[in-house]
Amino acid sequence: MIGPSTEIIIEKWRKGRFPLKKSVSDRLDNVIWLATKDAARYMETTHYTTFAYGERQMNSLLAPAFSMCSSAMILEYPSIRKIGSRNHFARADYFCHCDKGRSTEHRMFVELKSSWQRVPIHDGFNKSNVELYGKACKQICGLINEFRGDNREFYSKFPIIRVCMLTLALYSVGNEVVEWDEKELLRQAESQFSYKGRRPNLMGVWKTPAELRDDMEPEWKEDNYKLQGLMYICHIMEPYHV
């Protein structure tokens, strides 16, 4: 069981209002909390941070969370994506059917990217991370041809929400004590991440409790990385109606 030392406290940030935005944001807040709770449990149980290696490992945390927060969920959903002027076969990372609950029944597609970011940040987020955010946005925008294609009738039944999500494993190197502020990290992310005007409108940051962080075994002995926390950067697009 996760003890008091691993209480899950996530600094949250939201922006923007449009139909279904609050409902989807609430759902993603729950996904982020559940995934982070599993991350803390993994760390406490194994004394390693293997889940933070990349997108494939993050799916181990996010997939159960999306499943718990949806009526139905599947990974690697077959789809058509517009690239340039042509259609290409692709797979959406997550497809979720979300029941009515307190809002309109809808479908949600999520494109996930994952990477690393050293903290504290002095010269901005890594350029590669900013590019990954843009790539996720571009891919989720390209799904528009999936909804307009041969299966148009299938997609006409419910509003469609598209989300790009970038997860960052926040780390430090060596044994020095580093200081960083979650609110400042969110402020920088708001100004630095963008794709064709699409800036984040939902983010969350979890700072690893010191007692949990310092109890980890070094997975890269030559570098002695320490997991300082996890960051979730999302852009929720307005509903699309076929």
Side-chain angles (χ1 to χ4, degrees):
M1 298 292 292
I2 297 176
S5 64
T6 51
E7 181 183 2
I8 306 303
I9 301 174
I10 297 174
E11 186 71 34
K12 299 175 183 178
W13 179 95
R14 296 189 188 191
K15 188 174 183 179
R17 296 181 63 183
F18 49 80
L20 292 177
K21 172 64 164 55
K22 185 180 185 305
S23 174
V24 175
S25 294
D26 288 347
R27 193 179 304 276
L28 290 176
D29 274 346
N30 287 333
V31 167
I32 288 169
W33 189 86
L34 288 166
T36 305
K37 183 177 74 169
D38 273 356
R41 182 171 59 182
Y42 185 90
M43 292 172 71
E44 187 176 66
T45 302
T46 68
H47 303 283
Y48 286 96
T49 58
T50 314
F51 64 84
Y53 276 57
E55 181 180 330
R56 290 174 180 170
Q57 286 71 40
M58 282 302 298
N59 278 327
S60 300
L61 307 178
L62 287 166
F66 272 110
S67 182
M68 289 181 66
C69 296
S70 307
S71 307
M73 185 280 294
I74 196 165
L75 292 164
E76 299 294 328
Y77 181 84
S79 57
I80 297 297
R81 180 177 294 143
K82 181 181 179 182
I83 303 176
S85 60
R86 297 185 178 183
N87 288 337
H88 295 259
F89 178 77
R91 297 183 186 276
D93 289 327
Y94 290 89
F95 167 78
C96 304
H97 188 100
C98 305
D99 61 14
K100 292 182 180 179
R102 292 179 297 170
S103 67
T104 305
E105 194 167 4
H106 60 279
R107 289 170 172 151
M108 181 169 66
F109 290 83
V110 181
E111 188 66 36
L112 173 69
K113 302 294 180 188
S114 297
S115 188
W116 287 78
Q117 176 66 51
R118 187 172 179 175
V119 290
I121 294 177
H122 299 296
D123 300 314
F125 283 83
N126 296 349
K127 181 180 178 181
S128 59
N129 291 336
V130 176
E131 290 173 348
L132 268 182
Y133 173 85
K135 185 176 181 180
C137 279
K138 181 178 180 180
Q139 289 180 347
I140 206 70
C141 288
L143 282 181
I144 193 74
N145 279 15
E146 168 70 16
F147 315 138
R148 294 170 172 171
D150 295 339
N151 293 325
R152 181 185 178 91
E153 183 178 350
F154 172 76
Y155 293 111
S156 66
K157 298 175 183 177
F158 305 101
I160 297 166
I161 294 286
R162 289 169 289 168
V163 179
C164 74
M165 174 183 284
L166 173 65
T167 66
L168 296 176
L170 307 172
Y171 73 97
S172 61
V173 178
N175 294 315
E176 293 185 9
V177 177
V178 300
E179 298 293 337
W180 59 280
D181 181 74
E182 300 101 302
K183 288 185 173 64
E184 174 61 18
L185 203 65
L186 291 168
R187 187 193 66 79
Q188 291 189 52
E190 179 189 7
S191 64
Q192 293 176 32
F193 286 91
S194 180
Y195 173 75
K196 293 186 177 181
R198 293 184 173 89
R199 296 189 179 277
N201 52 18
L202 173 68
M203 295 188 285
V205 177
W206 175 61
K207 181 178 283 189
T208 311
E211 57 270 33
L212 181 61
R213 179 190 67 228
D214 295 338
D215 195 37
M216 294 301 98
E217 297 289 341
E219 297 184 59
W220 302 273
K221 290 183 171 57
E222 67 277 11
D223 295 317
N224 194 20
Y225 288 3
K226 287 188 177 180
L227 186 75
Q228 293 286 335
L230 291 171
M231 186 170 193
Y232 305 82
I233 303 171
C234 306
H235 176 77
I236 303 168
M237 295 183 65
E238 294 191 28
Y240 179 81
H241 298 271
V242 175

